[in-house]
Amino acid sequence: MIFNKETARKTAEVLLQVNAIKLSPKKPFTWASGWKSPIYCDNRIILSFPPIRNYIRETMGKEIEKTYGKPDVIAGVATGAIGIGMLVAEYLGLPFIYVRPEAKGHGRMNQIEGFVESGQNVVVVEDLISTGKSSLNAVKALKEAKVNVKGMVAIFSYGFDVATENFKKENITLNTLSNYDILLEQALATNYIAQKELKTLSAWNSNPSEWNAN
């Protein structure tokens, strides 16, 4: 769920502004999964725009404190959320760690990089939520390290039902700065998309795996 609608609108606005999110219903993108999609999101782009990354950093930091209280550690999910997670940790004056998709096959063979102790309170930072599987994989690693995962925050979520189900099943709360529904509202209000394109974009979100632009 979004923290609040005003923040969600502002976040959608800045993501569209720097092309961190692109909407292209007529010429869809192909995701790594093979899905055809009228939207592509790469929130790492915001790191190249200081005013926008500072907005995301400060807004996310304030919402974390308001929603979860100040944790002991901020954890970023590799690789997309390492940058923004570090910025949030810096803003809050907290230690930072990040979680790999799997343990390294050499050296110390870490999956969690950085220092965290058993029993510490951790809030996980993500850049983007699609199905939630990779995000929850990071949560699993943290739980195995016996830390207390208070919840997860992300910049943006596609709002898929499968993600909602996955987070509910793992009993992990998810809050995001913005989501797909608010993005479409903002895109329509600013004439980024036309009314006739809204139907196509909405149809994709309801059944992304089977969607066809034609």
Side-chain angles (χ1 to χ4, degrees):
M1 61 183 293
I2 56 173
F3 287 109
N4 64 75
K5 200 159 188 177
E6 183 181 345
T7 295
R9 283 176 177 160
K10 174 64 177 176
T11 301
E13 179 186 348
V14 298
L15 294 177
L16 288 168
Q17 181 184 330
V18 298
N19 288 321
I21 290 180
K22 292 184 178 182
L23 295 172
S24 181
K26 293 178 181 175
K27 295 182 178 179
F29 305 95
T30 301
W31 287 4
S33 61
W35 288 5
K36 296 293 183 182
S37 168
I39 180 173
Y40 192 81
C41 181
D42 182 4
N43 288 328
R44 286 169 288 201
I45 289 173
I46 67 171
L47 299 174
S48 299
F49 297 87
I52 292 172
R53 77 179 183 220
N54 288 339
Y55 164 76
I56 297 293
R57 176 193 69 168
E58 292 173 18
T59 304
M60 188 173 278
K62 288 173 183 175
E63 294 294 351
I64 285 173
E65 282 197 290
K66 192 187 302 181
T67 304
Y68 300 106
K70 196 166 186 175
D72 299 309
V73 178
I74 295 293
V77 180
T79 59
I82 292 177
I84 193 63
M86 180 66 223
L87 288 170
V88 171
E90 179 68 16
Y91 177 76
L92 293 172
L94 293 174
F96 176 72
I97 60 175
Y98 69 86
V99 188
R100 298 173 178 274
E102 57 188 22
K104 286 194 300 184
H106 61 279
R108 296 169 65 188
M109 299 187 176
N110 293 339
Q111 184 171 4
I112 300 171
E113 297 288 1
F115 179 78
V116 64
E117 293 184 293
S118 172
Q120 285 190 303
N121 292 320
V122 175
V123 170
V124 183
V125 171
E126 258 288 24
D127 65 324
L128 173 67
I129 303 293
S130 52
T131 64
K133 287 186 178 179
S134 59
S135 307
L136 290 167
N137 182 58
V139 170
K140 180 182 177 185
L142 290 164
K143 286 184 173 181
E144 288 174 353
K146 296 182 170 54
V147 302
N148 177 31
V149 178
K150 300 195 76 174
M152 182 177 293
V153 299
I155 298 173
F156 185 79
S157 169
Y158 291 120
F160 296 151
D161 289 340
V162 65
T164 301
E165 292 166 9
N166 286 337
F167 277 88
K168 186 177 180 180
K169 187 165 62 177
E170 297 300 325
N171 196 28
I172 295 294
T173 60
L174 169 68
N175 289 280
T176 66
L177 296 186
S178 194
N179 65 13
Y180 192 75
D181 288 342
I182 299 296
L183 177 81
L184 294 189
E185 286 181 20
Q186 186 63 28
L188 190 62
T190 57
N191 296 316
Y192 186 101
I193 59 171
Q195 183 71 47
K196 62 183 179 181
E197 294 175 307
L198 183 64
K199 184 177 180 181
T200 299
L201 290 160
S202 298
W204 169 79
N205 188 251
S206 64
N207 191 11
S209 64
E210 301 298 325
W211 182 81
N212 191 307
N214 299 321

